[in-house]
Amino acid sequence: MGVLNNRPADGIGAEILCVHPRVAAVFDALNGSNWSWLLLRGEDDLALPAGDVDILVDSGVLPRLDELLATAGFCRVLAPGHGSHRFYFCYSVDDGAWIKLDVVSDLAFGPYQQWRTPWAARCLRRRVRHGSYWMPDPADQAWLLLLHLFMDKGGISPERQPLALAAARTAADGGRIAESVRRRVGAGPVAEMVDLVLDGRLDEVPATAARMRAAWRGGGLSPRLIAGVNRLLRRSGAQVRGHTPLLGVMAPDGAGKTTLLNGLHADVPLPTKYVYMGLWGAGPWDEVLGRIPGGRTGKKIYRLVRGGVLARFYRRMGKVVLMDRVAYDALLGGSGGGPLAGMSNALALAVIPAPDVLLVLDVPGAVMFERKGEHSPELLESWRQDYLQLAGRLPGGRVVDAAQAAEAVQRVVTGIVWETLSQAAGTRRAHSRRHPGGGGSAAPEKADPVAAEAAQETGAAEALALHLWHLLDWRFLLPILQPRTLGFAGQVSQETESALRLLDPEAVRLGGPGSGPDGASCDVVLLASPGRSHVESAGLALEPGGWICVEASRSLLQRSGPRTLRGWKRTLERRGYQDVNLYWNAPNRDRTARLVPVRSAVAIRDTLALRKDVRFGSLKAAAAHLALALHVFDLMVPEGTVTGRRPERGGP
């Protein structure tokens, strides 16, 4: 059921009957932000939007926008080279449809947003309320629609003609944007634009649109330069914000793996990449390789390394990876014999990343035989049972009835992909509901006093929810459990900053290089993924006897500053800090289970013994034991914490 929003049938567009619940949730979230916003166009398509839902927002809401729209169930896709456009997606399982938001904070026109205007703030000031959402002033809406059709689209499609005609009739009476448009393209082209639509001479629209684009003046930077930069930025491609899932599919031949993944790749609007493993499939060189000892095994190794590298690369680039066949095929009976085959199968399990979701397509053997005519129904049924047994033993395994129509299977799997993708956003939404002040910096004057009052009444430690405790594990490495004045710098996330301010409502973010915290002194300074300049700022802020805590990661590609945890330890020692210690955050800073002192070989070995049950735990433990024997473990620590004390006299 939609949300009813009745209004008089005047202005551009027809009367709306309802708004899709997902879109209504977006409107509610934006209304609750206390920042101005409006729906640019498309109010007649809100029941189940077939195109983008175009929204203009005040630039002040941008720091909180991702979080706000996550509460409405939308996931952001980063798309460099699109000006101020931000794209958000949501999959409506009940409707089997994707809903896309196109949110802008500036009004710019052209395929590369190269023709900029200063109209956004003015349009927001003149907005008009329509039920649960806002629309532009009718004259503003008319001019924005006409410019969108001429400058962005370069033509008017048949389904847009009624809207364009209504807009031209309103624009003919003038408007506050009209004069600004005339200054940019000239009075002649503007009048011609309106007359063409009113007279129905739509075949002449492309030529007039081209003249308007060529005549555009103003807007600061050269439109050609802006278009060139945005065109270059777009080559990097779109990326899913946050964790991107890897979807693996297993099934015998004829179950529909390739059909399903090709359909997902074509229809899912998120950035996806299809990776075909096919490690044990036939190839044109099989006859030649079969005569060479180890030839087929060499082909398997090449394919698995290539597929594993591609899957990891695409995932690092923010793509949803769709993997046709996975390394777990090696666990099936009859997947290969001999020591070389066993070694290559083990290598496949080590090199190919484990999927977040492992789909096993369940199709009766007789149906698979009818689809492809390969093997026999009995053999295919035997393989089917093997896959079903394997699905019950593997992490993330889910069985999907693939005997139904391909469209129905794709719809089910699309829902699974969306469910996996939105899990991280759901966690952030839960955190946001428990801590309203921790969502961003758009309205700090409202959030911080609430946190301060809670800390004063109940105590900072008691005010912390359990999920925030892991962000403050570093406190247990210092003799100062409750800092008097806490400073922080570096790449401190919004959630971590919220936890710090609950711990110390007066916590201060340190300034830039060479500056302290505006005259204040701190007894504890936390640096997260810092640079050298942050260490300098910490030295200026720390009072004698104060403690510095550096959370860092090993990064051999870092251009400046220490590349290892040992390097950070030496940096503090060279700056005069005392009692410098290094701790391993096991397994990492996001999921710290133990803070292991690197100087204690016994503590390291005990921690490694506890992690043998994780994936490749034995292999990682062997490498760690070797690093201990060679006294280079502090060079190999992936993520850890370095602490040090400023001397009572002198010091950094």
Side-chain angles (χ1 to χ4, degrees):
M1 294 294 294
V3 179
L4 297 183
N5 289 284
N6 297 322
R7 67 173 182 85
D10 55 0
I12 300 173
E15 182 178 353
I16 315 171
L17 296 178
C18 62
V19 177
H20 191 278
R22 292 287 192 178
V23 180
V26 170
F27 295 164
D28 291 341
L30 291 173
N31 285 330
S33 70
N34 296 323
W35 291 97
S36 299
W37 68 278
L38 57 82
L39 180 69
L40 281 169
R41 62 185 70 89
E43 60 174 332
D44 57 340
D45 190 32
L46 295 177
L48 183 59
D52 299 354
V53 179
D54 297 300
I55 297 174
L56 172 66
V57 299
D58 190 293
S59 60
V61 79
L62 295 182
R64 293 185 57 204
L65 188 58
D66 292 358
E67 179 196 353
L68 280 173
L69 297 185
T71 64
F74 282 77
C75 170
R76 183 180 177 187
V77 171
L78 304 175
H82 288 81
S84 70
H85 288 256
R86 292 188 177 204
F87 303 105
Y88 299 85
F89 291 87
C90 176
Y91 182 69
S92 175
V93 178
D94 294 337
D95 302 300
W98 288 90
I99 300 175
K100 177 185 176 183
L101 307 179
D102 184 354
V103 184
V104 298
S105 56
D106 293 316
L107 291 174
F109 299 95
Y112 296 98
Q113 293 74 49
Q114 63 266 46
W115 295 299
R116 298 180 174 178
T117 75
W119 304 336
R122 307 174 195 175
C123 290
L124 288 171
R125 286 196 299 268
R126 297 191 292 262
R127 62 183 181 150
V128 179
R129 181 120 196 186
H130 286 194
S132 64
Y133 56 92
W134 300 80
M135 294 293 295
D137 171 84
D140 290 348
Q141 184 183 7
W143 283 101
L144 293 177
L145 177 60
L146 289 176
L147 290 171
H148 170 67
L149 296 174
F150 276 73
M151 304 296 292
D152 293 345
K153 303 299 183 180
I156 302 176
S157 59
E159 61 271 14
R160 292 287 189 93
Q161 291 178 11
L163 283 175
L165 180 59
R169 289 170 178 165
T170 303
D173 295 331
R176 302 190 183 184
I177 292 181
E179 185 58 37
S180 184
V181 178
R182 294 188 185 97
R183 288 197 302 269
R184 281 168 167 75
V185 301
V190 171
E192 184 178 358
M193 174 183 69
V194 176
D195 291 341
L196 286 179
V197 179
L198 291 175
D199 297 341
R201 293 178 288 136
L202 302 183
D203 55 331
E204 301 178 31
V205 168
T208 301
R211 287 194 294 273
M212 292 176 63
R213 292 174 175 179
W216 189 277
R217 299 184 299 275
L221 294 175
S222 164
R224 182 170 297 180
L225 175 62
I226 296 173
V229 171
N230 284 343
R231 187 183 296 112
L232 181 63
L233 290 174
R234 291 187 189 184
R235 292 187 178 182
S236 63
Q239 303 176 20
V240 175
R241 180 178 179 271
H243 177 76
T244 54
L246 189 154
L247 177 75
V249 178
M250 296 177 67
D253 293 336
K257 298 184 299 296
T258 304
T259 300
L260 168 64
L261 292 177
N262 283 333
L264 291 174
H265 183 55
D267 297 337
V268 172
L270 305 173
T272 60
K273 284 292 184 180
Y274 173 82
V275 177
Y276 176 73
M277 298 303 297
L279 305 181
W280 299 273
W285 297 97
D286 284 355
E287 184 176 352
V288 176
L289 293 174
R291 294 195 293 264
I292 302 175
R296 288 184 58 82
T297 300
K299 183 189 76 169
K300 285 171 56 177
I301 292 175
Y302 164 75
R303 286 186 174 181
L304 72 89
V305 171
R306 176 182 177 275
V309 168
L310 284 176
R312 294 178 188 275
F313 172 75
Y314 291 146
R315 199 174 193 181
R316 181 63 61 91
M317 295 300 293
K319 316 295 183 184
V320 178
V321 179
L322 308 174
M323 184 176 288
D324 191 341
R325 300 181 182 271
V326 295
Y328 295 137
D329 280 345
L331 302 178
L332 292 168
S335 61
L340 287 178
M343 291 174 59
S344 65
N345 291 344
L347 184 60
L349 291 171
V351 172
I352 301 174
D356 296 284
V357 179
L358 177 63
L359 298 180
V360 176
L361 305 186
D362 182 26
V363 183
V367 176
M368 287 187 280
F369 180 76
E370 290 178 2
R371 289 179 177 178
K372 296 196 70 173
E374 297 180 358
H375 309 294
S376 67
E378 294 75 19
L379 180 59
L380 291 171
E381 181 63 29
S382 173
W383 287 349
R384 173 199 181 195
Q385 297 303 323
D386 289 342
Y387 278 107
L388 292 177
Q389 292 178 9
L390 190 60
R393 296 190 288 117
L394 294 176
R398 302 181 69 163
V399 178
V400 176
D401 179 12
Q404 54 188 325
E407 295 79 8
V409 176
Q410 182 173 322
R411 179 167 175 170
V412 171
V413 174
T414 301
I416 294 174
V417 172
W418 173 248
E419 174 190 340
T420 306
L421 184 65
S422 59
Q423 280 179 351
T427 301
R428 289 195 296 270
R429 290 198 300 273
H431 293 174
S432 176
R433 285 193 293 268
R434 287 194 291 265
H435 301 282
S441 57
E445 69 280 359
K446 298 180 181 178
D448 288 350
V450 174
E453 182 180 352
Q456 291 170 359
E457 291 180 357
T458 63
E462 294 179 0
L464 292 175
L466 291 177
H467 79 280
L468 293 177
W469 274 97
H470 77 280
L471 301 175
L472 305 177
D473 286 342
W474 52 270
R475 295 189 308 148
F476 303 106
L477 307 178
L478 307 179
I480 305 175
L481 185 61
Q482 178 64 46
R484 184 175 63 258
T485 304
L486 173 64
F488 59 92
Q491 300 178 20
V492 178
S493 67
Q494 292 180 350
E495 188 176 40
T496 303
E497 182 172 345
S498 300
L500 294 175
R501 295 196 181 280
L502 286 170
L503 179 66
D504 177 11
E506 304 301 327
V508 292
R509 180 182 287 275
L510 303 186
S515 63
D518 299 328
S521 60
C522 304
D523 56 345
V524 174
V525 170
L526 172 67
L527 304 180
S529 302
R532 289 188 183 274
S533 61
H534 295 122
V535 180
E536 180 183 351
S537 298
L540 295 173
L542 272 177
E543 61 185 25
W547 286 83
I548 187 173
C549 184
V550 180
E551 293 183 336
S553 305
R554 185 184 70 239
S555 179
L556 299 181
L557 300 179
Q558 187 170 319
R559 296 183 178 179
S560 63
R563 292 175 172 81
T564 64
L565 274 296
R566 176 191 284 185
W568 278 109
K569 182 173 181 290
R570 289 179 174 175
T571 296
L572 295 187
E573 290 172 339
R574 285 196 296 267
R575 288 180 173 267
Y577 287 92
Q578 300 174 349
D579 301 325
V580 178
N581 288 294
L582 171 59
Y583 300 87
W584 168 31
N585 289 56
N588 54 53
R589 282 161 49 195
D590 291 332
R591 297 185 297 108
T592 300
R594 280 191 169 195
L595 293 166
V596 186
V598 173
R599 67 176 182 273
S600 173
V602 174
I604 294 173
R605 291 191 180 98
D606 288 345
T607 302
L608 295 173
L610 293 173
R611 294 188 52 75
K612 285 186 177 180
D613 58 337
V614 303
R615 194 166 183 251
F616 311 132
S618 299
L619 182 62
K620 294 176 181 177
H625 284 299
L626 179 60
L628 276 175
L630 298 176
H631 303 287
V632 294
F633 189 82
D634 54 351
L635 289 174
M636 304 304 295
V637 175
E639 298 184 49
T641 304
V642 186
T643 62
R645 179 176 59 86
R646 180 177 180 180
E648 295 291 344
R649 296 180 180 178

